[in-house]
Amino acid sequence: MSIFRPGRLRTVLSATAALILICTFYLYWTPPPASTIPSTVFEVPLTERQIAFWKVLRSILDAHAPNCPSPTLQASVSAVHFNATTVDPRPDLIVFGENDLDVLTEAHANYLNDIRTAQKLRPAHSPGTRGIVTTAGGSYLPVFLSSLRMLRRTGSTLPVEVYMKDASEYEKKICDKVLPDMGARCLILSDVVGKDVIQHYQLKVFAVLFSSFEEIVWMDADCFPMDKPEILLNHEPFTSTGLVTWPDFWASSVSPAYYNISQQPMPPMTERQSSETGIFLVSKKTHYLTLLLAAYYNYYGPSHYFRLLSQGAPGEGDKETFLQAATAWVNLSTRWRVQDPSVDKPPRVFFIHANYPKFNPAENVFGYNWETTPTLRPDGTEGRAWTAPEDVLRRFGIDIERAYWEEIKWVSCSPDIEFRTWEGKTGVCEKVESYWNTVFAEPHDDDPKFVDEG
C-alpha cells in the first residue's frame, strides 16, 4: 500500500489526470539544433494587428459589463473528488441581490450577439500556423526554461510564444539570447492592452487570443510533455473538434445560476468533472467565438465569473472559463472513455503538470522544505520528490524525474543564464549538483522501477 504525502500526491497525480483520451509513446530525444525549429512565423509583425483587435474587443467588453454587485458566497465548495455515479445535487451557494440575475443574463446575451456580428473584430493570428503558448515571468521564468528544455527533448519543433504581463517581467538576456536558440520568443501583453488592465489568471486567454498561432497547445510554465505535442494536433479528437481539455480531480462546482445566465441546460453532476487548464489544445479557426466568450468570463472574472464558475472550489480562477464558454456556444459534449482496469490497460501519460512545488531551484524546492515532512530516504539522505503512486510512476516508462532534474541542472549551471529573481542568491548550481549527485547519479534501492506497459 502506497503512503501519500500531500506535496507528492498533487504533483504526481497531476500527471495521471493529464491524459484521459490519448495513449502514446515517449521518445527520449535530446534537444534539436535551433536551426531545425521554424522561425518564419516569428518574422510576421503582430503589434498592429493585436492593437486593432484589442481596440474593438475592449469596446465590446466594456459595453456589456455586468452592472451589478459581485456575487456573495455563503460558503466555499470543498474539495470533492469527481464521482461518475453521484446523486448529490449541484452546489448552490451564491446569493444574488434583486434583479442581479436579470442584469447578468442580459449583459451576457448582448455580448454574445455583438461578438457574433462584429465585422471589425478581426483575429490577430496568421492562418495555418501552429505553436505553443504560455505565460512566464519572475520566478516562473526559470521553471518555464526547464519545461522548454523538456519540450525540445521530445524532438518537438513547434515554435513557442511566452507572454509576460508587462515590461518589468521582460529579461533581456533570457529573451534576446537564450530563448531564440530554442525556438521561443517573449512578448509583452501590456504593449497591447496597457498596464494593469489584466492580471494573474486573466492573462491566459488573452495570451492565446493575441498569439500569432491559429492552432495552439497551451502549456502552463510548469507543464511539459513526454512526447511531441504535434501528435495531438494531428489526430483525433482535436482534428474534428478543435478543442481538447483535460479533467481535474474535482467535481464540477459551476453555480446553477451560471446556466441560467448563459441560457443553457444545467448538466448533471455525473456528466463531467472540473477542468485542468494547465494544458489544453484549441483552434482559433473553429473556436474563435469560444475564446472571445472565455475572454469575457476572464475580463469580469475577479468581479463575477470566477465565483460563478467555481464557488470557491480548489483552483478558483480561469480554469472553468474555456470549457464553459464552449458549451455556451455549441453545447459541446465531452468525449469520455471509461476504463475498466480489469480489461483496459491505462493510457500512457502525455503531460506532466509539476505544479507543486514549483521546480525553481533558487527557491524552496528541495525535499526538506516541502510541507512539514522531509522527503528523505530511510538512511537520512535526500530522496526523490515523485514516489507515489507506484503504478503511475511505472506508466512513465522511463525515469522522467531524473530527466527533468537533468534539465533543471542545465538551467541552473549554464554560465550564460542569469535570472533577475536569482540575483543575490548564491550557490544555486552547487545545490542542484549536490542534490543530483545524492539522488540521481547512482542507482538507489528505493528508486522507482519503470516498466514499459506498451
Side-chain angles (χ1 to χ4, degrees):
M1 178 177 178
S2 298
I3 297 175
F4 304 144
R5 292 176 179 163
R8 300 178 185 179
L9 177 65
R10 174 68 186 180
T11 302
V12 177
L13 284 183
S14 291
T16 311
L19 188 66
I20 299 298
L21 299 174
I22 301 169
C23 301
T24 190
F25 295 93
Y26 175 70
L27 303 177
Y28 196 76
W29 292 3
T30 54
S35 59
T36 68
I37 301 170
S39 60
T40 53
V41 294
F42 293 166
E43 297 167 2
V44 179
L46 271 177
T47 306
E48 289 185 13
R49 284 180 290 166
Q50 290 173 329
I51 291 174
F53 166 77
W54 175 240
K55 182 179 179 180
V56 179
L57 178 59
R58 186 171 188 181
S59 68
I60 300 173
L61 287 166
D62 290 340
H64 301 298
N67 292 318
C68 62
S70 300
T72 300
L73 192 61
Q74 293 175 307
S76 293
V77 172
S78 57
V80 177
H81 279 81
F82 176 72
N83 181 350
T85 62
T86 186
V87 295
D88 293 339
R90 181 172 293 277
D92 188 5
L93 300 172
I94 292 182
V95 177
F96 294 93
E98 186 177 359
N99 299 323
D100 287 355
L101 272 175
D102 292 338
V103 170
L104 285 161
T105 302
E106 183 178 6
H108 189 282
N110 289 338
Y111 177 77
L112 290 186
N113 182 66
D114 274 12
I115 61 173
R116 187 191 292 115
T117 59
Q119 295 183 357
K120 293 184 179 180
L121 191 59
R122 298 188 179 97
H125 67 265
S126 301
T129 56
R130 54 170 49 171
I132 291 169
V133 181
T134 192
T135 54
S139 62
Y140 284 88
L141 195 55
V143 177
F144 161 71
L145 189 52
S146 296
S147 297
L148 179 60
R149 291 279 300 183
M150 293 299 288
L151 169 74
R152 296 304 179 213
R153 199 176 184 118
T154 70
S156 173
T157 59
L158 286 173
V160 178
E161 291 181 349
V162 188
Y163 279 82
M164 297 170 171
K165 183 181 68 173
D166 53 42
S168 69
E169 293 187 336
Y170 188 93
E171 300 196 24
K172 188 173 179 61
K173 283 188 176 180
I174 301 297
C175 290
D176 294 1
K177 303 293 184 182
V178 178
L179 296 187
D181 287 342
M182 287 185 253
R185 67 163 176 171
C186 302
L187 300 100
I188 301 174
L189 278 167
S190 65
D191 287 350
V192 179
V193 304
K195 193 172 178 62
D196 299 327
V197 175
I198 53 177
Q199 302 283 337
H200 198 40
Y201 294 120
Q202 299 167 296
L203 300 175
K204 185 177 295 185
V205 69
F206 290 102
V208 170
L209 280 168
F210 293 139
S211 167
S212 69
F213 308 131
E214 181 177 81
E215 293 184 345
I216 289 170
V217 178
W218 172 271
M219 290 194 301
D220 280 1
D222 54 5
C223 291
F224 59 85
M226 295 182 66
D227 206 338
K228 294 190 287 188
E230 291 93 321
I231 294 170
L232 306 185
L233 297 177
N234 292 334
H235 292 85
E236 291 288 355
F238 181 76
T239 51
S240 64
T241 66
L243 177 67
V244 177
T245 67
W246 277 263
D248 207 337
F249 304 118
W250 319 115
S252 170
S253 59
V254 178
S255 167
Y258 164 76
Y259 295 102
N260 290 328
I261 293 165
S262 59
Q263 300 178 52
Q264 56 178 311
M266 184 170 67
M269 290 293 287
T270 56
E271 182 170 302
R272 68 169 62 90
Q273 56 223 81
S274 62
S275 297
E276 159 56 61
T277 52
I279 310 103
F280 62 88
L281 319 176
V282 65
S283 166
K284 293 180 189 174
K285 186 175 182 178
T286 54
H287 280 278
Y288 180 54
L289 292 176
T290 292
L291 291 170
L292 292 178
L293 182 53
Y296 183 76
Y297 294 158
N298 280 270
Y299 196 65
Y300 295 110
S303 63
H304 291 81
Y305 278 94
F306 291 162
R307 179 68 23 106
L308 279 165
L309 295 175
S310 290
Q311 300 190 88
E316 181 177 274
D318 68 325
K319 69 194 300 289
E320 303 304 322
T321 61
F322 297 92
L323 187 57
Q324 299 307 324
T327 62
W329 277 115
V330 297
N331 199 20
L332 182 67
S333 60
T334 302
R335 297 186 180 190
W336 291 96
R337 181 186 176 191
V338 180
Q339 288 185 309
D340 180 348
S342 66
V343 177
D344 292 340
K345 288 184 178 180
R348 289 289 188 94
V349 177
F350 202 104
F351 292 101
I352 291 180
H353 189 180
N355 68 319
Y356 183 81
K358 304 299 181 190
F359 281 74
N360 182 338
E363 300 189 3
N364 293 338
V365 69
F366 295 99
Y368 53 83
N369 287 317
W370 294 23
E371 300 289 347
T372 58
T373 306
T375 308
L376 301 176
R377 292 169 171 160
D379 62 5
T381 60
E382 289 179 309
R384 290 170 174 260
W386 298 343
T387 60
E390 294 179 5
D391 63 322
V392 174
L393 298 178
R394 286 196 298 271
R395 283 163 53 201
F396 289 166
I398 65 158
D399 193 343
I400 193 65
E401 184 179 4
R402 187 180 191 278
Y404 191 31
W405 273 99
E406 193 168 66
E407 300 305 343
I408 294 171
K409 182 158 65 81
W410 183 91
V411 170
S412 303
C413 298
S414 295
D416 297 331
I417 295 179
E418 299 175 9
F419 297 105
R420 197 174 296 152
T421 59
W422 288 11
E423 291 177 1
K425 296 181 179 180
T426 59
V428 175
C429 173
E430 289 77 6
K431 288 179 183 177
V432 173
E433 287 186 327
S434 174
Y435 182 74
W436 170 271
N437 290 333
T438 301
V439 178
F440 299 111
E442 299 293 337
H444 197 274
D445 290 342
D446 63 358
D447 285 346
K449 305 301 184 290
F450 302 100
V451 177
D452 187 346
E453 298 181 352

